[in-house]
Amino acid sequence: MTMNFKDPVNLFKAVYSVGLLIFSVIYIMGMIGVSETKLSGDVSPALAYFAIWGAVLWLTMVEGGQASLVGLDPVNRELYKDSHPIAYKIAEVSNQGDNLDRYLLGRQFMVVAIVFIVNMSGAPNEGAELWGFPDVVTDIFLGSGLAMILFTCMVGQLNTQVNASHCMLDYIDNYFGYFTFWVAMAIEFSGLLHASYVVAMIVSWLAGKKIESKEPPREGFQLAFFWARCLLSIFILAMCFAVTLSALFNDQTTMWQDVPPEAAIVVFFILLCVVGMLEGMQIAFFAVAKIPEAERGESLFAKKTCSLLFTGEGTNLPGFMIGRQLCVVSCMFFVARVTSVSLDEGEENIYGVSDSMQELFNTGLLGAHIVTIVGSISWQLVASAFPLAFLANPATYYLLRLCLFLESTGICTGAWVLAAIHKKICGFKRDEEYIGTAEERAKTAFKDESAQVGVGHMIKLPGFVENAPPALLELLEKNPNVSQYINSVIDDVESAAKSESGAAVGAEP
């Protein structure tokens, strides 16, 4: 999806969005400078500055790397072996077996953990004030977290997705991307998130569908090692819940003081559900896009959701993706505030653990682990197996409405301005200049392969790509409505599978 700034409405949105972003960044940096955030107050403003900018810049590669690697997965890597050697090195590993799914699983945790680090570094302490701004300004930008949300969404996520979806090769062809890829692979290998595979197996059994894998079944030591990590992951997840719920019950988190512990726990689980719904909606929407309208069931809300998503000019699909990003990041910041442990001076450590272990609790990483598995991956797995049931949920329809409303405000339009500046500075070129279009490749010996979809494979809707996935292209000849929809959303319909993917299930260690 491209942004036409010659349109007066889009131009206005871009100007006010960039203005809000600049003000938000200045506000956040000012709060850090006067030690009014957790990290700047507990340690030093210098460390907080380093942490927040380092985290957001790393987030750009985590998000952009995902768009690049998923988009390049069906492309024969020999086409860019000489022009983009580092991208080729990454693809050599990611294209083997189920490695792409392993990378995406580890990458999911990285996104959540980075958002928690940004929150710890830049989120203001309760009651913080700066430069005598009126209370209404403080409440809007600091109290609601708007400044942090705009900063993270536009700088760390949306602008990089815009460029990486069109310039995959140039974006990933550097050692920063290479390092990020291996960090994600290491996180998955550690077994920290292997509870997700157990969830996938349960979902697969409930759906009565087998999880497809590019690798042979596990045997011997490999099988034992896999299940050992699954058990370890389940134990760690249970420990995270135990510590987090204990802190919430005893009012030992950074939750606002006026909120009673019981309400904090309710808010915590509601936020997990909202994040999960938003994550699963992408999977369900992609699956339903491949199902003929007559087979989408008789549910009132499923019909209303599909009608809203696929009708008209087709702008509701990318609009949902942008609004969804805002909602997810907002919820993650609130979850970070709810789950980050904070003990008063002299207060006994939770469960009597050592000081070093308590410091780990205080980082908020336990909350990040819960959100990754319970609030994100699990819901995506359920949506991949039961997309129609997911759409029949009334919450899906109302969340879609909310996402479309947020996008219509234009509050994140500044991301396209940042993307244009970033592209100009780095000299990114479209992938077609290096490897041709999917149609051109199809006429040679380097025809694209198909992406792996189905139960356990969390293929998501394209957010900012111009090339529709093959599954949708196959419908163009069968259903003219689908053709009209695709042509209105994308600029040039191609057959490359450039959809966002989630963690796969059944991947070997």
Side-chain angles (χ1 to χ4, degrees), residues 434-497:
Y434 301 109
I435 58 178
T437 65
E439 288 81 1
E440 293 169 346
R441 295 193 296 272
K443 298 176 183 178
T444 69
F446 301 104
K447 182 179 179 180
D448 291 355
E449 300 177 358
S450 297
Q452 198 171 29
V453 296
V455 177
H457 298 279
M458 298 173 291
I459 304 298
K460 301 178 182 179
L461 280 168
F464 307 97
V465 294
E466 293 185 341
N467 299 346
L472 292 181
L473 289 175
E474 292 175 3
L475 293 176
L476 293 177
E477 298 179 358
K478 301 178 182 180
N479 191 333
N481 292 329
V482 176
S483 177
Q484 180 183 8
Y485 160 68
I486 290 294
N487 286 324
S488 64
V489 175
I490 59 181
D491 296 327
D492 303 308
V493 177
E494 302 169 345
S495 60

Side-chain angles (χ1 to χ4, degrees), residues 43-54:
V43 185
S44 72
L47 179 61
Y49 282 131
F50 176 81
I52 194 170
W53 282 107

Side-chain angles (χ1 to χ4, degrees), residues 263-294:
I265 294 173
V266 173
V267 169
F268 170 56
F269 282 104
I270 289 177
L271 289 173
L272 282 182
C273 292
V274 173
V275 172
M277 287 292 299
L278 291 167
E279 294 283 11
M281 284 166 69
Q282 298 180 89
I283 312 299
F285 289 167
F286 179 79
V288 169
K290 299 183 295 179
I291 299 175
E293 184 175 353

